DNA sequence: TGTACATCAGTGAACGCGCGTTCACTGATGTAC
DNA sequence: TGTACATCAGTGAACGCGCGTTCACTGATGTAC
């Protein structure tokens, strides 16, 4: 009990430092009229989510860490759920960013077919890595929303993880790797597989795997996705699956 | 706020009824020395989890609903996490039971190969259905544990979901559907896919799918798993995938 | 350019709530003789 | 078979905690004239 209290205290101190640093960089708005409190609160709350998952997003604590009264938060968020929703969106954005970065992180292969396979692998790898590196954010991104989720075909589809996968699958069709009749629904299957692996590695029984077993599982699943989607042995680009 | 209070009140009343019914059936132990308080508390807490997920597992409320002081719970559980852990185990057991029931729910097919494919499909279907029918329990089964998870090769493997899948995959090898060199790690891939689909349907963007789209997604993923595992077109047993 | 004033974005104190956990206690149970 | 007594499994009151949210308020900002 008091141990928890101590930990929380540490959190607060840490966040306070962070908050003052952030504000210190900007123009001093003489305390009143922070200028960008909405974003500042979301920043801090996102940091909390990163460290402790969705349950760590606490409105009062976020306000405290931002150096502002709790009531002030209600000028920018209708309630706690609204703040959490903003954090969730941040988490999803961060995931999508990581996936995009992964796409761009290596030289494109000369052969378009191989290149699109590489891209699919890169997306999956980034997804898993994000989950393992930032479990708090990952859990927050997929925690049960208390507000309606944006439709996949609306905002999220704009530039969300789902859309990235869809785009690469379209590439695979275009480059003859994926037969057209297999295309419909393929993004759901691919996404589900990678997402499931990520959550089982994080919170499920696969959390007990050592690093080697984990790498093997990831490689196996990566292969599995390609075969399952295309319906045939994944040619070329062998070995890449063993890369981190 | 007061709305929440009202809802909670309803919960309590409901659980109280339930608890008194349960105790009413058994022998009256004259209030003191309940006889099986540990199980009674776990029962009630599991019901709470069924209705509201892991966060709804509240020690005080469970004690209240069981008609017992909160302190009494500490004779049987070291703390709140211990109770939650018991509920988690119940949830996992319930999932495994549902899967086993699904295996036995239809006539075995005469052809052993087809039969083992049927069994794999049955497991996946049961998994998804459990998640959709009992989201609270499903979320609880896979919520982040604050205690060490039992190793897959230990208790859970005894009769857990994971083991069921492993067994059926062994059948697939035995019956020539799955080549032996593909067997290692296949249960992870299969499980991840189905698990991912379940969680995306529950809490992810796929929650927005209508019934028809959802059925299509499930069918597609089911096909995907078979192809991904075996490395070839799934022969036979076509059409069954469209069954609920 | 200066001033009156509406509006905006904060404050801080308080509210009620329910939680997990501890404590000294006491009634019921079972066992040794 | 009856009785003393240890142990077991409850009680109920209290603790401290921190949360989300509301309220009347006030200082800063920007705008109309």
């Amino acid at each position: 009990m008091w141990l928890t209290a101590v930990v929380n205290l540490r959190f607060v101190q840490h966040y306070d430092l962070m908050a003052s640093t952030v504000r210190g960089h900007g123009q001093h708005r003489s305390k009143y009229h922070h200028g960008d409190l909405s974003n500042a609160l979301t920043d801090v709350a996102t940091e909390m989510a990163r460290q402790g998952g969705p349950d760590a997003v606490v409105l009062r604590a976020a306000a405290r860490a931002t150096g502002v009264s709790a009531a002030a938060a209600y000028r920018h968020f209708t309630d706690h759920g609204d703040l959490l929703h903003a954090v969730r969106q941040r988490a999803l954005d961060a995931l999508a960013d990581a996936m995009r970065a992964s796409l761009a992180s290596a030289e494109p292969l000369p052969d378009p077919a191989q290149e699109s396979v590489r891209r699919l692998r890169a997306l999956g790898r980034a997804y898993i890595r994000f989950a393992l590196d930032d479990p708090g954010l990952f859990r927050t991104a997929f925690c049960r929303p208390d507000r309606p989720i944006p439709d996949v075909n609306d905002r999220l589809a704009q530039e969300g993880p789902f859309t990235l996968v869809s785009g690469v699958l379209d590439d695979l069709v275009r480059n003859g790797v994926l037969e057209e009749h297999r295309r419909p629904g393929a993004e759901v299957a691919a996404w589900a597989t990678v997402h499931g692996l990520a959550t089982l590695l994080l919170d499920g029984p696969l959390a007990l795997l050592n690093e080697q077993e984990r790498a093997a599982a990831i490689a196996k699943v990566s292969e599995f996705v390609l075969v399952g989607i295309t319906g045939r042995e994944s040619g070329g680009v062998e070995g890449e699956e063993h890369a981190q």
Side-chain angles (χ1 to χ4, degrees), chain A:
Chain A
M1 171 112 237
W2 58 269
L3 217 164
T4 306
V6 168
V7 168
N8 283 342
L9 190 56
R10 283 229 193 94
F11 270 6
V12 168
Q13 288 172 339
H14 171 70
Y15 288 134
D16 277 340
L17 280 176
M18 195 183 65
S20 61
T21 311
V22 167
R23 266 192 298 138
H25 279 309
Q27 60 285 38
H28 274 283
R29 309 278 293 198
S30 65
K31 237 174 176 182
Y32 255 76
H33 292 68
H34 176 286
D36 197 18
L37 185 51
S38 174
N39 267 312
L41 283 171
T42 310
D43 286 347
V44 165
T46 302
E47 192 53 35
M48 288 166 161
R50 187 194 309 280
Q51 294 190 24
D55 292 348
V57 175
V58 169
L59 187 143
R60 288 182 76 105
R64 213 180 299 138
T66 314
V68 119
S69 76
Y74 287 84
R75 295 282 171 205
H76 303 273
F77 301 94
T78 67
D79 58 14
H80 170 260
D82 198 21
L83 174 61
L84 181 57
H85 179 253
V87 173
R88 190 183 150 95
Q89 203 50 246
R90 284 275 182 94
L92 279 168
D93 289 348
L95 171 56
D97 284 348
M99 290 168 76
R100 262 188 297 272
S102 176
L103 280 184
S105 72
E107 284 299 295
L109 299 174
D111 177 42
Q114 287 191 354
E115 166 63 8
S116 49
V117 169
R118 182 194 71 82
R119 290 165 67 84
L120 185 63
R121 280 208 161 98
L123 285 186
R125 206 161 39 232
Y127 201 96
I128 301 283
R129 190 156 39 197
F130 183 86
L132 296 177
D133 288 353
D134 258 324
L137 276 193
F138 184 80
R139 285 191 197 100
T140 306
F142 293 101
C143 71
R144 191 159 59 121
D146 71 335
R147 256 134 261 261
I149 316 175
D151 187 355
V152 174
N153 298 320
D154 283 358
R155 184 145 345 146
L156 208 149
Q158 213 73 23
E159 44 192 38
F162 197 78
T163 319
L164 289 168
V165 176
S166 281
V168 171
L169 289 177
D170 288 342
D171 283 356
L172 284 169
V173 172
R174 214 171 288 125
N175 297 322
V177 181
L178 174 56
E179 297 162 72
E180 198 146 4
H181 77 275
R182 292 184 174 283
R183 176 65 185 79
E187 64 272 48
V188 170
W191 190 12
T193 306
V194 174
H195 184 76
L197 179 62
T199 63
L200 289 178
L201 285 172
L202 266 193
D203 295 332
L206 300 186
L208 299 167
L209 264 43
N210 63 38
E211 201 159 337
Q212 193 178 341
E213 295 169 321
R214 174 190 292 178
I218 294 175
K220 172 80 187 183
V221 168
S222 165
E223 210 47 38
F224 172 87
V225 168
L226 272 167
V227 175
I229 281 183
T230 63
R232 49 182 139 112
E233 222 54 48
S234 79
V237 209
E238 283 299 337
E240 210 215 336
E241 79 215 66
H242 295 121
Q244 221 289 31

